[in-house]
């Protein structure tokens, strides 16, 4: 490999990766201030990793789509059901997967667990952050061993490729992309041009050798993946590992996935022996209190393909100061304000002088609009100080005129509620079309207005 290179420098926005010939105060692309840093770049035309760089003699030729053999079934089963689900059925050979998350959330733990669980594949775990001994200690905590898992502490791209050549792994894990550096570029590790160059080399390797590569990425304080946006464009899949550090639960979501849906999520619990898969999320999202308390309502929700029941907690109290406070965790605040306005205007509940606090138990964020009905009910329950029986749950979206709008996959929601031992469920009346209520043992209430639910409940 001959590198005939001419060095030059350019300015890069550390936020979005925009390249500029001179320093700029405000990035014209992303609008951030003071993000431009000068980096030395090597612009060279003759650099290539494989032999396939001769443009006049391409190795691939165009094929008819019907002639292309599909290798859909050849996914690697990671032995981790939650991860398989998020990936859309397992690791695709040759895919580049980026796992992002805050420090301490458990990215390294997750990656090591995946590597140790893949017993029948040889994995190379490259860490630029920890020594091999530290990784071994982590492995001891997880309490799992695997002869096929190779660990190396390395940050140089060139050395990593020679380790790959010597060990010929089936899967490569890189912890983290921000610690890597290639000699081809003089910028420091973690800078935009280094991240971009290292990722593109790994991408080329992954595609040429059909080896899945897992990259761990840091995120910035406002929650974006550190490094250029281009990183997210280059990889096939972006997984976000999130959850409050104080909460025991961690959620893995795909924000981009070329080989599956992005609506799936995987739930884990951080224990002292590593991450445990939570296969029945409803159990953890419902608080284990036996007595029914006012201000809580349970929603039959769906996230991705999976139904589960979530507990909504509301606290309504008279505003101590002039302007009432509205605050919400895990639920969109604007939507909460809208629902409160609907209650005020359409159902005649006086809430404008009240503080309203809303919380979704378990520290998760929910995007399913069907949660609306439970939100409203929890607010009313707290306002009137009348508790709702533990055996009742709700599903339904609320429209601006106070109507309860139909939701998708009602069958699944009812079945899940029934499975978990609920006795009554309130569903939108419009969902009853084509639905055979008699097949359920749970009592199904069909409702079309908020007031109707209130009358049935608090009568
Ligand atoms: P880590 O994987 O190092 O996070 P990241 O790579 O995202 O920075 O894990 C971080 C936290 O998990 C750490 O605070 C300790 C905790 N932890 C456990 O609670 N149990 C365990 O078995 C392990 C390995 C870690
Ligand atoms: Mg780590």
């Amino acid at each position: 490999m001959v590198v005939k290179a001419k060095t030059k420098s350019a300015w890069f926005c550390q936020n979005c990766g925009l390249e500029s010939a001179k320093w700029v105060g405000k990035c014209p692309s992303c609008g951030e201030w003071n993000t431009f840093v000068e980096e030395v770049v090597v612009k060279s035309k003759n650099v290539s990793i494989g032999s396939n760089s001769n443009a006049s003699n391409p190795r691939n030729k165009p094929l008819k789509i019907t002639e292309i053999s599909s290798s859909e079934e050849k996914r690697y089963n990671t032995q981790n059901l939650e991860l398989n689900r998020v990936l859309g059925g397992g690791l695709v050979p040759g895919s580049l997967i980026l796992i992002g998350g805050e420090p301490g959330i458990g990215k390294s733990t997750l990656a090591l667990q995946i590597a140790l669980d893949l017993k029948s594949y040889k994995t190379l775990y490259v860490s630029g952050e920890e020594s091999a001994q530290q990784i071994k200690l982590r492995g001891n905590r997880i309490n799992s061993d695997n002869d096929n898992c190779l660990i190396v502490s390395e940050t140089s791209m060139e050395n990593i490729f020679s380790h790959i050549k010597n060990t010929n792994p089936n899967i490569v894990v890189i912890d983290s992309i921000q610690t890597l550096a290639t000699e081809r570029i003089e910028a420091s590790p973690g800078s935009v041009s280094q991240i971009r160059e290292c990722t593109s080399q790994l991408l080329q390797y992954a595609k040429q050798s059909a080896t899945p590569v897992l990259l761990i990425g840091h995120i910035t304080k406002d929650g974006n993946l550190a490094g250029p946006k281009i990183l997210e464009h280059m990889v096939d899949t972006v997984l976000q590992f999130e959850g409050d550090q104080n909460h025991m639960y961690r959620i893995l979501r795909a924000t981009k996935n070329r080989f599956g849906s992005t609506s799936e999520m995987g739930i884990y619990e951080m224990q002292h022996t590593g991450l445990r898969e939570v296969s029945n999320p409803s159990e953890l999202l419902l608080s284990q209190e036996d007595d029914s308390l006012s201000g809580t309502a349970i929603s039959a929700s769906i996230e991705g393909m999976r139904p589960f029941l979530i507990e909504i907690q509301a606290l309504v109290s008279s505003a101590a100061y002039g302007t009432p406070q509205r605050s919400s965790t895990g639920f969109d605040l604007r939507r909460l304000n809208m629902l409160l306005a609907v209650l005020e205007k359409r159902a005649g509940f006086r809430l404008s002088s009240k503080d309203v606090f809303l919380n979704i138990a378990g520290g998760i964020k929910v995007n399913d609009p069907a949660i609306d009905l439970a939100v409203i009910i929890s607010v009313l329950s707290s306002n009137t100080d009348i508790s709702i029986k533990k055996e009742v749950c709700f599903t339904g979206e609320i429209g601006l005129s106070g109507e309860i709008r139909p939701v998708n996959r009602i069958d699944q929601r009812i079945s899940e509620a029934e499975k978990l031992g609920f006795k009554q469920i309130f569903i939108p009346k419009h969902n009853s079309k084509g639905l055979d209520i008699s097949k359920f043992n749970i009592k199904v209430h069909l409702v079309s207005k908020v007031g109707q639910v209130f009358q049935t409940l608090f009568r």
Side-chain angles (χ1 to χ4, degrees), residues 104 106-109 125 129-130 138 175-176 216 218:
K107 301 179 295 295
S108 308
T109 310
Y125 186 107
E129 303 196 334
E130 290 153 311
R138 193 196 296 270
D175 185 4
S176 63
I216 291 179
H218 296 169

Side-chain angles (χ1 to χ4, degrees), residues 165-229:
K165 209 167 148 199
N166 297 339
T167 55
N168 207 3
N170 301 109
I171 292 161
V172 177
V173 177
I174 306 278
D175 185 4
S176 63
I177 184 73
Q178 278 88 357
T179 57
L180 299 190
T182 168
E183 285 163 13
R184 290 204 214 154
I185 281 185
E186 267 179 45
S188 58
S191 62
V192 171
S193 40
Q194 276 293 3
I195 294 178
R196 189 162 55 186
E197 182 61 25
C198 294
T199 313
S200 87
Q201 290 187 14
L202 287 165
L203 180 72
Q204 211 171 341
Y205 159 73
K207 301 293 165 201
Q208 279 174 6
S209 62
T211 312
V213 178
L214 253 80
L215 300 177
I216 291 179
H218 296 169
I219 61 171
T220 57
K221 62 177 184 298
D222 40 346
N224 298 317
L225 274 152
K229 209 49 185 177

Side-chain angles (χ1 to χ4, degrees), residues 88-112:
L91 279 175
V92 174
S95 63
L96 194 58
I97 296 158
L98 179 65
I99 305 180
E102 284 178 22
I105 200 81
K107 301 179 295 295
S108 308
T109 310
L110 179 69
L112 185 62

